[in-house]
Amino acid sequence: MPPLNHLLVLIFLISFCCWEVESIGVNWGTSSSHPLQPDNVVQLLKSNKISKVKLFDADPIVLQSLSGSAIDVTVGIPNSMLRSLSSNTKVADTWVHDNLTRYFTNGGRTVRIEYIAVGNEPLFQGYGKQFQPFLIGAVTNIQKALTKAKLDNKVKVVVPCHSDAYLSESGLPSKGHFRPDLNKTMIQLLTFLSKQRSPFFVNMYPFLSIHQSKNSSLDFALFKSTAHSLNDGHRTYKNSFDLSFDTLVTALSKIGFPDIDIVVGQVGWPTDGAPNASSSLAQNFMKGLVDNLQSRLGTPLRPKKPPSETYIFSLLDEDQRSITTGNFERHWGVFTFDGQAKYNADLGQGSRKLVNAQNVEYLPSKWCVVNNNKDVTNVTASALEACSTADCTALSPGGSCFNISWPGNVSYAFNSYYQQHDQKADSCDFGGLGLVTTVDPSVGNCRFAVDLRTSTSTSLQLSLLLG
């Protein structure tokens, strides 16, 4: 038997290792026309040793699939509920009863729910004052409901905030502050979080600075050693992640909360739908991010204290996500919509490659393409019509299908529409211009997908049954 001090060292090393692995989680969004079956997703999480997952709702089928998985879960309340939650304590009581209580039985948890995310970026500048007036009332009433249900010592209330909540006009972290229109709400929110010992959730998007400004440095965003550093007094910043994080730390300090725990609720890099959105750049970003976090060096303002948890955005691509910000919004996944790894990343599995989803059920191997034997003079109009509802974001400038020649791009649009409509015969008509083929029309990196057997209509029916 080894001496006691050796055992203590061993225990310390094991706990240190596990802290690193467990601090990285993923966001699991379900805004898909044909989402991967929840049981497949949970197996995907387990296969890749991902121990934390953040959801955007409290779908009973998804939560049931996580039952007994030992995965820590954040459930979400949509922004659309904030007004009613704020004005009516009974709404909050009902939400907690319906969406939490059933997963806590006999003092245990069938689902390891650790956070309730009240709203998703409700203070985002693009929303104006749409949700801000109701936020504090909503978190207060959810907290009261947790106390009534005797779950307040098991689940913490948090609010994911977009990184546009804070800024620095000079670009220096030492000049960081919250947007003036948010100061009162932020003080109220942070007072609440501090009282409950809950962390501050921030969503960070280094890609957006690259996408929105030609003056931004790609190397700086990708953690490249060749990037030009930014000096802020005696502090040096080598990447945009640390710079943004410390800008937030300064903003928090200025309103009296210098030491509050920070969780990064969303951070990632898209792989399609825009220039600089590619799998190779996403892999570079992810390696830089994970190396940064696991070094435990922290940032200049919080040395040796990196974010306590970081959630990668996102686990899977979602073809129904809003593209208001850009067509890349549907391509944040580390995995494709059907659970196939786009690149290699360390999400907890260490040096092993990512494990793909298993036992995925697809529709038949059929595609819809342009029928070249017809008069295709007006085929572009049909393609635009298809893209108005289907997902054609890969055809965007910089996208994986941008360079496929005509009429290949039209065929891509046709197929996207066809798959989204469960390969129904009339969904490949297009006035006689469509043709069903069993020959895969994919070209190079441009993948003509075959959708999954699961559809949102099926999920909705199951939700209604479980509700």
Side-chain angles (χ1 to χ4, degrees):
M1 182 180 290
L4 180 62
N5 60 334
H6 287 188
L7 277 173
L8 291 173
V9 169
L10 181 62
I11 291 168
F12 171 78
L13 288 172
I14 291 171
S15 64
F16 180 84
C17 158
C18 294
W19 183 95
E20 287 184 344
V21 171
E22 292 179 357
S23 66
I24 297 177
V26 295
N27 286 266
W28 173 5
T30 54
S31 296
S32 301
S33 61
H34 293 69
L36 192 60
Q37 287 276 16
D39 287 346
N40 290 101
V41 178
V42 173
Q43 189 54 52
L44 180 68
L45 294 169
K46 287 180 176 180
S47 299
N48 290 290
K49 301 190 185 311
I50 298 168
S51 59
K52 290 180 179 290
V53 67
K54 178 168 159 280
L55 309 174
F56 294 91
D57 53 23
D59 186 304
I61 302 172
V62 170
L63 288 170
Q64 195 58 46
S65 71
L66 287 160
S67 179
S69 67
I71 294 171
D72 292 329
V73 180
T74 298
V75 294
I77 298 177
N79 292 331
S80 58
M81 284 194 68
L82 297 186
R83 181 192 281 265
S84 57
L85 286 170
S86 176
S87 61
N88 193 333
T89 56
K90 288 183 179 178
V91 174
D93 292 343
T94 300
W95 191 93
V96 167
H97 177 269
D98 291 351
N99 297 289
L100 254 69
T101 306
R102 70 169 80 177
Y103 305 110
F104 290 80
T105 55
N106 303 320
R109 307 186 206 199
T110 58
V111 182
R112 291 175 57 169
I113 299 172
E114 60 174 350
Y115 296 118
I116 301 174
V118 179
N120 184 43
E121 302 179 346
L123 303 177
F124 175 55
Q125 197 161 14
Y127 293 147
K129 300 286 184 181
Q130 193 174 348
F131 307 113
Q132 186 180 342
F134 312 112
L135 179 61
I136 303 305
V139 296
T140 302
N141 286 340
I142 285 290
Q143 185 64 46
K144 287 178 181 176
L146 283 174
T147 303
K148 285 181 192 174
K150 295 183 170 53
L151 295 175
D152 53 312
N153 63 337
K154 296 177 180 176
V155 183
K156 292 188 179 297
V157 176
V158 297
V159 177
C161 292
H162 192 289
S163 55
D164 77 349
Y166 58 92
L167 66 152
S168 169
E169 285 84 358
S170 65
L172 300 175
S174 61
K175 304 297 182 185
H177 62 87
F178 285 110
R179 290 195 338 248
D181 62 296
L182 296 183
N183 273 341
K184 182 181 176 183
T185 301
M186 275 299 175
I187 290 170
Q188 292 173 320
L189 174 60
L190 287 156
T191 300
F192 168 85
L193 295 174
S194 295
K195 183 180 178 183
Q196 305 302 331
R197 297 185 178 179
S198 294
F200 183 86
F201 267 54
V202 61
N203 296 347
M204 297 166 59
Y205 306 98
F207 174 80
L208 287 183
S209 62
I210 299 298
H211 183 68
Q212 294 166 353
S213 172
K214 292 179 180 178
N215 296 324
S216 296
S217 165
L218 184 60
D219 284 356
F220 195 67
L222 294 175
F223 299 88
K224 293 284 190 182
S225 58
T226 52
H228 291 294
S229 299
L230 185 144
N231 294 318
D232 185 1
H234 63 279
R235 300 184 185 95
T236 301
Y237 291 89
K238 298 179 180 179
N239 61 75
S240 60
F241 180 84
D242 288 354
L243 185 140
S244 181
F245 190 89
D246 273 5
T247 305
L248 171 60
V249 171
T250 302
L252 290 165
S253 299
K254 283 183 179 175
I255 58 172
F257 300 91
D259 301 315
I260 192 165
D261 194 16
I262 297 173
V263 167
V264 177
Q266 292 182 197
V267 63
W269 198 275
T271 60
D272 209 338
N276 296 316
S278 69
S279 295
S280 59
L281 291 183
Q283 177 168 294
N284 289 338
F285 174 81
M286 206 63 66
K287 184 181 188 310
L289 174 67
V290 173
D291 287 350
N292 181 298
L293 294 171
Q294 293 191 344
S295 73
R296 299 201 70 186
L297 292 174
T299 64
L301 286 180
R302 287 197 174 179
K304 297 186 175 11
K305 193 181 177 186
S308 58
E309 300 171 35
T310 299
Y311 291 83
I312 303 304
F313 187 70
S314 186
L315 180 65
L316 302 162
D317 282 350
E318 300 168 76
D319 69 348
Q320 297 290 292
R321 271 184 64 82
S322 168
I323 53 173
T324 304
T325 314
N327 288 338
F328 56 84
E329 287 288 1
R330 294 177 177 171
H331 303 277
W332 288 100
V334 175
F335 294 85
T336 54
F337 74 98
D338 52 348
Q340 309 305 299
K342 301 178 189 175
Y343 52 87
N344 199 37
D346 182 1
L347 299 179
Q349 83 284 5
S351 58
R352 291 191 301 113
K353 288 186 176 180
L354 290 171
V355 179
N356 292 334
Q358 304 298 308
N359 304 313
V360 179
E361 292 189 21
Y362 295 89
L363 293 169
S365 297
K366 296 191 296 183
W367 297 264
C368 179
V369 296
V370 172
N371 186 346
N372 288 318
N373 294 321
K374 299 282 186 177
D375 179 5
V376 293
T377 308
N378 296 318
V379 75
T380 303
S382 296
L384 290 171
E385 184 183 348
C387 289
S388 66
T389 55
D391 179 27
C392 297
T393 52
L395 294 170
S396 312
S400 60
C401 300
F402 178 60
N403 288 322
I404 63 171
S405 58
W406 186 92
N409 50 3
V410 177
S411 290
Y412 184 91
F414 280 10
N415 184 63
S416 181
Y417 186 90
Y418 177 64
Q419 301 297 337
Q420 203 172 83
H421 289 79
D422 298 316
Q423 297 185 353
K424 291 174 182 172
D426 60 356
S427 65
C428 186
D429 184 34
F430 300 106
L433 297 176
L435 174 71
V436 174
T437 178
T438 55
V439 179
D440 187 350
S442 298
V443 183
N445 292 327
C446 179
R447 177 189 179 192
F448 281 59
V450 171
D451 248 323
L452 306 179
R453 285 195 179 275
T454 311
S455 70
T456 45
S457 58
T458 307
S459 298
L460 181 60
Q461 288 165 5
L462 287 168
S463 295
L464 291 171
L465 287 171
L466 286 174

